[in-house]
Each structure stands twice: as structure tokens, then as C-alpha cells.
Amino acid sequence: MNLSYAPKSALHVMVVGKAGIGKRSFLSQLQDVWGESQMSFENEYKWTIKDCEVIFHIADVTQDSVSDRGLQKKIGACDAFILMHLVEDKESFKVLPLIKDIILKEKHMETDLPIFVVGHRVDCKELVTESKIASVVVWDWLMNYRELFENNLEHVMKLSGDMMTKCLGNLYAPIIEEPTPKKKQSILKRFRRIFRIR
């Protein structure tokens, strides 16, 4: 199944990784970009974008819990995945290969499955890619690798926009309009206008 060709009424995204690595912080920053979510519980956030309900599910996992059948059923019900680790905690990456394998098994090895592997940075002041991890993800896993600074809305915006476009194709691609003289909009206002988020 290629999600890019099928307009959806709901898109379920799982944000998964060890506890305490910044998954809720990421979604809190996404609220700054997309506006307050319609549903904001501890483990779920929901927005409506162009008549599509976009629901983010948070899953805290350990190397032991990835084999939990309940988690596997939730994975099977999701359409896209953000696998997150904390760059300052190298141990937090070790669970991601296990999660990746479970996802591919539950989704029947779909070749165009939207999976983004994200290195969350809290204390680092410069964007220096963790080259070993990035090369494993990009060349061995053939998946997208991104890094996010805490409180950097531009990175959050780019990741969320790319994920929406990959999941839902040109329906969510930026709309190119003829330039007209007008007051310059902030980057957040332009993003909300492009994706028509309400």
C-alpha cells in the first residue's frame, strides 16, 4: 500500500522511543507550529488538517517491551512512525532497531512506509549529525534521519511538513501562489496557511 496515492480521512502517527527522550516535548513544539490540538491527553494529540484528522500516539518502550502484543497491535493500526532517540544518550538508540523490525513485520514490510528516525538534541548548541547512527539509518535501513534541537520550531516544521507530504502526497504539498505585495508573514503563519491547518 502506498499512502501517497490515497486521500485519507484520518492519519495515525506513532512517536516511539524510550521514556524521557523528548517525544512529548516534540509534540508540544508541534502545537506551537500547528496551533493547539483538539485532543491533548498524555499520550495522544489530534489536529484536523484539510479535513484529515492527524492523530499522534506516543509510545514509551524498552528493549523488553517491544515484544508486547498490545504495542504490536497499535503499530499495525498506525500509518506513519517517528522513531526518536536522545543524541546525548547513546543507549536510547539501541531500542530503535528492535522497534524498526517490529514495525516492518507488522506492516508486512511495506516498501514506502513513512518512517522518520529522529535524533533529539537538548544540550548541544550546534547541529552536528551523529555520523555513525545517521549512516546506519540512511544506508542500512534506507530510512530518513533527522535531528531536532529542543525549542527549534524550524526543524519541527520541516519534519512535520515532510512527513505529511510523504504520507498524503501532493494533497498536502505547499500551494504555489502568485506573489503579491503584502506584509511579510511570520514563518509560523506561512506554514499554517500553506497546510491550511485549523
Side-chain angles (χ1 to χ4, degrees):
M1 178 180 67
N2 187 333
L3 297 175
S4 299
Y5 298 107
K8 297 175 67 68
S9 59
L11 175 69
H12 292 265
V13 182
M14 179 175 284
V15 186
V16 59
K18 285 181 61 177
I21 59 170
K23 298 186 295 296
R24 289 165 184 80
S25 174
F26 162 68
L27 290 174
S28 176
Q29 293 174 70
L30 195 57
Q31 290 192 120
D32 293 333
V33 174
W34 285 3
E36 286 295 319
S37 64
Q38 299 161 321
M39 172 183 67
S40 181
F41 301 119
E42 182 181 2
N43 295 316
E44 289 186 346
Y45 295 72
K46 181 176 76 173
W47 289 267
T48 300
I49 303 176
K50 289 186 176 179
D51 298 322
C52 178
E53 287 188 344
V54 183
I55 305 170
F56 285 80
H57 305 271
I58 298 174
D60 295 332
V61 297
T62 64
Q63 295 188 44
D64 294 329
S65 69
V66 294
S67 59
D68 179 72
R69 189 57 196 156
L71 174 65
Q72 294 173 10
K73 288 180 69 175
K74 291 178 182 177
I75 287 173
C78 285
D79 307 298
F81 302 88
I82 296 175
L83 279 55
M84 188 175 288
H85 71 102
L86 185 64
V87 173
E88 292 90 337
D89 176 10
K90 295 186 184 298
E91 292 295 312
S92 66
F93 181 77
K94 292 184 177 179
V95 70
L96 297 193
L98 303 176
I99 299 170
K100 182 259 301 181
D101 290 343
I102 293 292
I103 290 172
L104 294 178
K105 179 181 177 182
E106 290 298 317
K107 303 302 289 186
H108 308 294
M109 303 295 288
E110 291 176 10
T111 57
D112 199 28
L113 190 63
I115 300 178
F116 291 83
V117 181
V118 173
H120 190 221
R121 288 182 176 268
V122 176
D123 296 328
C124 299
K125 304 302 181 186
E126 297 180 3
L127 186 62
V128 180
T129 299
E130 188 71 25
S131 58
K132 183 177 180 180
I133 288 177
S135 63
V136 166
V137 172
V138 173
W139 298 109
D140 296 347
W141 299 4
L142 302 178
M143 293 179 182
N144 301 279
Y145 184 77
R146 302 292 175 82
E147 288 187 346
L148 298 177
F149 283 130
E150 189 172 63
N151 299 321
N152 188 310
L153 296 184
E154 185 176 349
H155 293 168
V156 171
M157 184 186 306
K158 182 70 166 61
L159 172 62
S160 59
D162 289 349
M163 183 196 66
M164 291 294 293
T165 301
K166 185 171 179 62
C167 290
L168 298 163
N170 292 332
L171 179 65
Y172 290 82
I175 300 170
I176 300 175
E177 300 173 348
E178 290 297 323
T180 55
K182 58 183 177 181
K183 184 178 178 181
K184 187 175 181 180
Q185 293 180 317
S186 71
I187 192 168
L188 292 181
K189 286 182 179 179
R190 283 187 282 124
F191 184 85
R192 288 174 179 159
R193 177 180 58 82
I194 287 170
F195 286 93
R196 292 200 173 95
I197 298 171
R198 65 173 186 269

